Structures are given as C-alpha cells and as structure tokens.
Amino acid sequence: MLELREITAGYDRRAPVVRNASLTIEPGEAVGLLGPSGCGKSTLARVTALLHRPDSGTLLLDGEPVRRWRHRAPRELRTTFGVVFQQPRLSADPRLRLADLIAEPLRANGLHEEITERVADLSAAVGLTPDLLTRRPHEVSDGQLQRACLARALALRPRRLICDEMTAMLDASTAAALVAAVEHYRRTTGASLLAVSHDPTLLHRWCDRVITWETLTEGHVWETLTEGHAGATA
Ligand SMILES: Nc1ncnc2c1ncn2[C@@H]1O[C@H](COP(=O)(O)OP(=O)(O)OP(=O)(O)O)[C@@H](O)[C@H]1O
C-alpha cells in the first residue's frame, strides 16, 4: 500500500508546483495519473519514488511514514521502486554498453553473481536482442534505449513501478511492446503501478483506475494522522 497525503512539493517553497496532492495505490493496482504538461505530475512521481523531498505532507509505504528522500532514503525502501522516465538519454550513462546499463542496479547492490543470467532474462523480457547489448546508447534508437531503461528498472524485482511518460517519445508499436512488458512483469510479481501521462487513451487502456490532476489536488482532509505524524523531515 502506498499513500500520498496532502503532499506539497516543488523547487521553490514560496511557489510549490504540487499542492495538497493525495492518492492511494493498493498493492497490485495500476493507477494512471492524467494531467496537462507542466502541471507537476513528474514532480509528484519523483516524490513518490523517494527521489524528491516534498515541502510538506506525508508519504506512507505499507503504513509507515517516509522520513528520508534521495540518497538519505534507506536502500531497502528505494529498491522497492522501479522507475522509468520519459527521456532515456537523460537517464542513461552514455559510456555504458546496454548490458552494463541493465546490470547497474545489480552491481550497485552487490549481486554480481546474478548479472549474466538476469541481464539475459531482463533483455528478453523487454524485447532486446543480444546483439544490441554490446552497443552504447548513441548506437541504438530511443525505443531500444527505453527498453534497456525498463529492463534496468525491473532488475531488482521492485514491488512498485513508476512509469513517467515512459512511451511519450516512442512509436506506437514500441510503446505497446513496453506496456506489454510492464504488464507481464506485474502479472507475474503482483507489483503496483503509477503510470503518468497526458494521454487519456493510453492510461484508460493500461490502468485499473485513472485519476486526473484536479481530483488529486482537490485537498482532502486527513484527520487520522495527527499522532506520530512524521511529515517531510529530512
Ligand atoms: N528541477 C526543476 N527546477 C525548477 N523548476 C522545475 C524543475 N523541474 C520542473 N520544474 C517546473 O515545475 C513545474 C512542473 O513540472 P513537472 O515536470 O513536474 O510537470 P509535468 O506535469 O510532469 O510536465 P510534463 O508532462 O511536461 O513532463 C513546471 O513548471 C516545471 O517548469
């Protein structure tokens, strides 16, 4: 279970881009977040994935308030999230071959002995052929690089996926293949999903439930969280 309660976040405390956003995602549930460009969806997605500390509000993971974000967040919490962003070229180290890109989280977590087998499984799951694994990002298409970024996001078998405009830059068939790979992973693991997009057709096809930005930020009053309220304190 993941709950965002009255999250306010942004890049300038005097002018937050997310105001009082509340959202609950049940285990295994796929929730689509729909909103116009620039409204703050990516910022909220990054707060959810422990990548951006909110100004105020509470994020609860399995009922426990999160107290630390970014590098301060406990590794065992961070690794419950698999995140895919819109622009693979911004999130991929240009020096790495695709096999090493996919293996990054395994290496960072000391799982060296699993790398060969996991990279083979993950690349097959996202539709990357072995010949592509020895190439570097500038030698592959955006779609192929995004497939590698999805494989990297799945490497540690996360319980929660966040796909932030994952398919926005891709042609229809690559987009469908990536969504299918996410759904296959979710069916086999029971992972939940937050899919962020400005495309209602995509989200309605993909998700159990689609919420709009306006609904999210209407401002719910939470009365139960007064005792032990951690807020955003780190
Ligand atoms: N690092 C940053 N520093 C300052 N302002 C930022 C930063 N990142 C985003 N913003 C601003 O915050 C607002 C919300 O951006 P965000 O990327 O969260 O929106 P979005 O809904 O995901 O948009 P899009 O669909 O275009 O990606 C925008 O006005 C954006 O310019």
Side-chain angles (χ1 to χ4, degrees):
M1 173 89 121
L2 182 158
E3 286 179 83
L4 295 157
R5 293 186 178 174
E6 306 258 307
I7 294 286
T8 292
Y11 307 91
D12 174 353
R13 274 184 173 266
R14 291 161 302 179
V17 296
V18 178
R19 289 171 195 266
N20 292 329
S22 298
L23 170 67
T24 299
I25 304 177
E26 302 288 340
E29 192 183 23
V31 175
L33 174 56
L34 184 63
S37 182
C39 68
K41 304 183 298 300
S42 295
T43 305
L44 189 65
R46 289 168 56 77
V47 169
T48 309
L50 312 182
L51 298 171
H52 184 98
R53 192 171 71 84
D55 297 338
S56 64
T58 305
L59 166 60
L60 293 120
L61 298 176
D62 300 326
E64 286 294 315
V66 171
R67 293 162 199 278
R68 296 175 187 280
W69 271 262
R70 294 168 53 88
H71 57 280
R72 291 188 184 142
R75 176 172 292 218
E76 63 275 16
L77 271 193
R78 266 191 280 141
T79 54
T80 66
F81 289 93
V83 189
V84 188
F85 298 103
Q86 176 174 354
Q87 296 186 25
R89 294 200 188 273
L90 297 183
S91 63
D93 184 336
R95 297 164 302 181
L96 292 183
R97 297 177 194 280
L98 295 203
D100 294 320
L101 182 83
I102 296 168
E104 262 185 327
L106 298 165
R107 208 161 265 135
N109 283 275
L111 301 169
H112 300 281
E113 66 289 352
E114 291 184 26
I115 286 177
T116 307
E117 192 182 341
R118 287 289 289 146
V119 169
D121 289 350
L122 287 160
S123 50
V126 299
L128 277 178
T129 50
D131 57 303
L132 294 170
L133 297 179
T134 55
R135 298 198 197 168
R136 293 195 168 82
H138 72 276
E139 297 168 322
V140 299
S141 70
D142 284 345
Q144 290 163 340
L145 189 56
Q146 192 65 308
R147 287 175 194 260
C149 289
L150 174 58
R152 177 180 60 181
L154 302 180
L156 296 175
R157 300 188 176 89
R159 288 198 284 135
R160 306 174 170 110
L161 289 181
I162 298 189
C163 297
D164 183 1
E165 299 276 13
M166 175 181 74
T167 61
M169 290 175 64
L170 309 176
D171 64 79
S173 74
T174 308
L178 282 173
V179 169
V182 167
E183 286 310 291
H184 181 265
Y185 175 79
R186 293 202 326 107
R187 270 197 307 280
T188 52
T189 61
S192 63
L193 168 71
L194 176 62
V196 172
S197 178
H198 60 273
D199 180 349
T201 311
L202 171 79
L203 291 184
H204 281 290
R205 279 198 194 136
W206 186 1
C207 299
D208 304 319
R209 181 160 66 92
V210 177
I211 50 163
T212 61
W213 186 253
E214 299 77 57
T215 333
L216 189 82
T217 52
E218 258 166 14
H220 304 270
V221 177
W222 298 95
E223 291 164 355
T224 50
L225 204 76
T226 45
E227 271 181 41
H229 187 296
T233 55

